[in-house]
Amino acid sequence: GDYDGYVVKVDTAGTEIWSRTFGTSDWDFLKNAELLDDGSIVACGFTYGDSSVHADGYAVRFDPAGNVIWSFHTGNSGDDAFNDVLLLDDTLFFSGYVSDISSGMRSGWMLKASKDDGSMLDSAMYQLAPGMQFNAIEADAAGVAFVGSEEDTVHQRVNPLWGAVNRDLSFAWRG
């Protein structure tokens, strides 16, 4: 397509093991990746593959040899993206944002998917402030912590945002 995702797997010395360019017939961007215990890689970002107007969150899993195991894209009516991915037990957690065309609002977004086949297990949107997004996530036994940003339209700036959601994606707290 016009722009494609690019993934490179290297060893500890930085020697390339394999590289892959992939994507749809339109624009595809990768923002982060997670190396799994079995040597496979899950990468995430966004694609315009089904719409030249609005982006969807996009994820792809490669086996240790670089072959695609599965991929999926999903989103709302506006521009949507995955910014980060992590594995917690056997579940992948994706963070990012979803946008709604009718309201013009952007919400923080968390999605859980099966690491085995990429099927969506759960999804939640969080409208804690205007124009928010979750940029990075980390997890422990209690849940998933996030850092992100929110728009301050009164002062014309972007403010930091942090907090946590529980493993079931229910909202836990905000800093």
Side-chain angles (χ1 to χ4, degrees):
D2 293 333
Y3 295 95
D4 288 323
Y6 183 69
V7 174
V8 178
K9 185 174 184 179
V10 297
D11 63 19
T12 55
T15 304
E16 182 178 310
I17 298 170
W18 55 259
S19 63
R20 299 289 182 269
T21 301
F22 65 95
T24 66
S25 61
D26 213 319
W27 293 4
D28 307 287
F29 299 91
L30 295 177
K31 300 182 95 176
N32 218 323
E34 177 88 350
L35 178 64
L36 305 185
D37 290 341
D38 66 356
S40 64
I41 295 173
V42 176
C44 68
F46 60 95
T47 181
Y48 285 90
D50 275 352
S51 168
S52 60
V53 179
H54 300 290
D56 282 335
Y58 181 71
V60 59
R61 181 176 176 189
F62 298 94
D63 69 16
N67 302 303
V68 173
I69 298 172
W70 53 254
S71 67
F72 72 86
H73 61 91
T74 186
N76 206 354
S77 63
D79 287 330
D80 314 309
F82 294 135
N83 291 328
D84 200 2
V85 57
L86 69 81
L87 178 68
L88 183 57
D89 298 325
D90 284 334
T91 303
L92 292 165
F93 287 76
F94 296 90
S95 67
Y97 62 88
V98 293
S99 303
D100 181 43
I101 291 287
S102 60
S103 69
M105 295 297 288
R106 187 174 64 207
S107 302
W109 185 24
M110 296 284 277
L111 183 139
K112 291 175 18 178
S114 164
K115 76 169 185 168
D116 296 325
D117 62 9
S119 60
M120 187 173 76
L121 304 173
D122 200 1
S123 179
M125 293 177 272
Y126 310 90
Q127 185 55 55
L128 307 175
M132 66 179 292
Q133 64 179 321
F134 297 159
N135 295 328
I137 51 177
E138 282 298 329
D140 63 16
V144 179
F146 62 83
V147 294
S149 61
E150 62 185 358
E151 294 175 7
D152 181 344
T153 55
V154 174
H155 299 100
Q156 301 284 313
R157 63 183 180 208
V158 176
N159 294 323
L161 172 71
W162 64 94
V165 298
N166 299 308
R167 285 178 170 219
D168 66 359
L169 299 187
S170 60
F171 184 74
W173 60 269
R174 174 190 172 176

